[in-house]
Structure formats: structure tokens, C-alpha cells
Amino acid sequence: MSKKLRVGVIGTGYVAKNNYLPVLAQTEDIEFVGVMAKNYENAVRAARSFGAQQAVDSIEKLVDLGLDCAFVLTPKQVHAEQVTFLLNHGVDTFCEKPMATTLRDCGKIAELSEKTGRKLMIGFNRRYAPVVTAAKEAWNGGMPDVIIAQKNRPQTEYHATLENAVHMIDLMRYYCGEAKGVKALSKYQDRDYETFTTAQIEFESGSSGLLIADRSAGQWEESIEMHGGNKTVLIHMPESLTVVDNQQRHTTELTPLAMGWAKSEDKLGFSYAIRHFFDCIRNGTMPLTNPQDAYKTHELLNRVLLSAGLPGME
């Protein structure tokens, strides 16, 4: 058996506690050596709950534990600073999306990953969700003519489209390739707290996309609808995939396949993204959601924001 990877985690918030720490606690081929939070008591509680060997209150102390890799699960405003520190100290890094709040910082840490030779993977977990990968396979290497991607939630927040739409932008690229034209519209009284954003995106492949990101919905809803070649593929996150052709309509739901035990970290792709990161480190391969590819998602999102009259990622 190969040497266990020594893993550290920065951040103990909602995403960390619900989607990452439970998976790491059950991963047998790693050594969970430390968890860091600015509030030391939060780090202590997380370490006790999820089996980390030590709790620390600084990134310097975390790196001093002798890490092979680390997970940056902190607010987006500190991603660039923390990722830069880890890469410069020889630590392969998994960073939650977005990789940074500006395109300049996104580009700088992407370049630093290449310069240092360290792995950097961006946490676009939706790409690793079973319904998303199955939908990709359904196109057999082709692309849809039309894609409609929606992520709607109740209540707005600061720069809601940046928070809300980045996964959908990434999946539209995943299915249709690179964009060449963007026309967007947003509604707001305050440009920092928009109510909705919609965008029509023309892709170099010839595909056409419609993005809908509303922040006045009744509940969280996330779906993708694709059509082309006399085929329709429908994703209702995180549970259901429907493929329709001129002979049949076939729907797969994940929970029954898991005998009722399908968990959100599996259905939303977190556990598969984590495994992919570890496999890339062990095998010396490039992550699917590497920083160079992730930069293109952030750049397309910036074009949507600017076209909609919203603050961009400058």
C-alpha cells in the first residue's frame, strides 16, 4: 500500500462541515493531520468531530504539520492569499470555488501553480456529480444544440450572481465548450444585491445557452435542460437524470440506487471531487477542474456580470 497522504483543512464553516469533513473522516488512505480556523475553538470542535489529529489557528502552524495537500474551504475573499501561501510552501491545494474574487488573482495563482509544479484543483463539485457525468456520457462526445441552465434560490446576497451562477456557467462550458458571445440582463435596486440575472450565451461549437439565476425563488432549485440530435437530456439536481429520444424516456434517480442512503456529498459530487484530487496527486495527473480551465469559467462569468451591468471581477 502506498504512503498515506497527509491532509490539512482550512475552514470549519457550513460547506466544510457538511460536504468535506465528513468525507475526509471516512477516507482510509489519508492521514487527516490538522484543521485550521481563525477561531481556535472552532478548529478544536471540528478536529474532535471529524478525527483530525490537531487543531491550529494559523496557516503557518498547519503547514508546519508536514502536509502533502490541503483544502481551502474559507470565504472567497481570502482564497488567493491562502492558496498562494500553500503553493509557495510546496503543498498541493484544493480550493473551493470561486478561486478568487478578481480575474487578476485567478490568473496569478494559476501561474503560480505552474511555476511551483504543485497541483491546484478548484472545487467545481457539480462536474463530479453522478447525474452530471451521466449526462455528459449521454452525448457520446457530442454537444447539445441548446442548453438551459438554472440555479434559483430565495433571498439575495452580496454579489449574488457571482455566488449563485458560477456552477451553472462552469457546467455550460463543460457541455458546450467556449463562449464567443454574451448578452445578459439583471434586475436590481442595488448593484451589489441583484434580484436576478439572465444571459444568452453563444458558443464557438454552435450551441446556444440560456442562463437563469434568480434570487427571489420559493426554494433552491437547480436544473439543466439540453436538446439536440433528436435527444433531450434533463438534469434535476442533485437527484434525477432523464434521457429522452424518439423511442423512449428513461429516468434515473440516485437514492433508490443507493437503497435509500444516497448522501448529499455524493449526489452533489463532493466525495467524487475529493477522490479525484487525491488520485491526481498520487498519479501525477492534471485535475479536471484545474486552474487554467477554471480561469475560463471565471472569465465567462465576468463577461456575464459586465453585460448585465453588475460589478465584474476586475
Side-chain angles (χ1 to χ4, degrees), residues 263-281:
K263 300 177 181 178
S264 63
E265 56 261 39
D266 296 328
K267 292 191 287 186
L268 285 167
F270 291 99
S271 59
Y272 300 102
I274 291 168
R275 172 47 55 191
H276 179 68
F277 178 55
F278 292 150
D279 288 344
C280 287
I281 293 173

Side-chain angles (χ1 to χ4, degrees), residues 51-78:
Q53 295 171 8
Q54 295 192 52
V56 297
D57 61 2
S58 74
I59 193 171
E60 292 84 0
K61 292 176 182 177
L62 187 69
V63 169
D64 284 345
L65 297 177
L67 304 180
D68 293 309
C69 60
F71 288 76
V72 174
L73 310 177
T74 47
K76 58 183 177 291
Q77 292 82 0
V78 294

Side-chain angles (χ1 to χ4, degrees), residues 44-288:
V44 169
R45 283 191 287 269
R48 288 174 179 168
S49 297
F50 299 103
Q53 295 171 8
Q54 295 192 52
V56 297
D57 61 2
S58 74
I59 193 171
E60 292 84 0
K61 292 176 182 177
L62 187 69
V63 169
D64 284 345
L65 297 177
L67 304 180
D68 293 309
C69 60
F71 288 76
V72 174
L73 310 177
T74 47
K76 58 183 177 291
Q77 292 82 0
V78 294
H79 285 178
E81 176 186 351
Q82 292 174 338
V83 170
T84 297
F85 185 91
L86 291 167
L87 294 176
N88 277 328
H89 284 77
V91 179
D92 292 325
T93 302
F94 182 111
C95 178
E96 248 297 333
K97 61 79 188 170
M99 61 194 293
T101 57
T102 69
L103 286 180
R104 180 183 178 186
D105 282 343
C106 289
K108 287 171 66 176
I109 59 177
E111 291 174 2
L112 183 61
S113 175
E114 288 191 84
K115 180 180 177 181
T116 59
R118 307 317 309 177
K119 295 276 185 293
L120 176 58
M121 177 169 160
I122 309 305
F124 284 115
N125 58 286
R126 298 302 195 275
R127 284 209 200 184
Y128 304 90
V131 291
V132 169
T133 57
K136 182 76 167 177
E137 293 170 359
W139 291 106
N140 297 316
M143 296 182 181
D145 293 330
V146 174
I147 182 170
I148 303 169
Q150 298 193 61
K151 187 177 182 185
N152 304 317
R153 295 172 63 182
Q155 300 181 344
T156 190
E157 62 183 309
Y158 183 72
H159 292 180
T161 303
L162 173 59
E163 279 293 323
N164 203 41
V166 66
H167 278 301
M168 296 299 98
I169 292 286
D170 188 64
L171 290 180
M172 293 173 86
R173 285 188 55 247
Y174 185 50
Y175 290 118
C176 299
E178 304 309 329
K180 65 177 182 178
V182 174
K183 186 175 182 180
L185 174 69
S186 186
K187 177 183 177 182
Y188 51 82
Q189 292 181 330
D190 183 335
R191 292 171 71 243
D192 290 323
Y193 293 89
E194 61 269 30
T195 302
F196 71 75
T197 299
T198 61
Q200 185 171 359
I201 302 174
E202 182 185 6
F203 293 90
E204 294 174 359
S205 63
S207 300
S208 179
L210 178 63
L211 168 72
I212 302 172
D214 186 84
R215 296 308 296 264
S216 61
Q219 293 187 30
W220 169 78
E221 288 286 340
E222 192 170 319
S223 65
I224 293 180
E225 179 178 328
M226 294 178 279
H227 308 279
N230 297 319
K231 179 189 297 182
T232 294
V233 178
L234 308 171
I235 301 171
H236 191 258
M237 290 292 294
E239 177 72 18
S240 173
L241 173 70
T242 299
V243 179
V244 186
D245 59 27
N246 57 10
Q247 294 183 331
Q248 64 178 347
R249 177 186 183 97
H250 182 75
T251 299
T252 302
E253 295 186 350
L254 297 186
T255 297
L257 295 179
M259 296 184 288
W261 288 98
K263 300 177 181 178
S264 63
E265 56 261 39
D266 296 328
K267 292 191 287 186
L268 285 167
F270 291 99
S271 59
Y272 300 102
I274 291 168
R275 172 47 55 191
H276 179 68
F277 178 55
F278 292 150
D279 288 344
C280 287
I281 293 173
R282 293 188 184 281
N283 300 329
T285 52
M286 179 74 76
L288 173 65

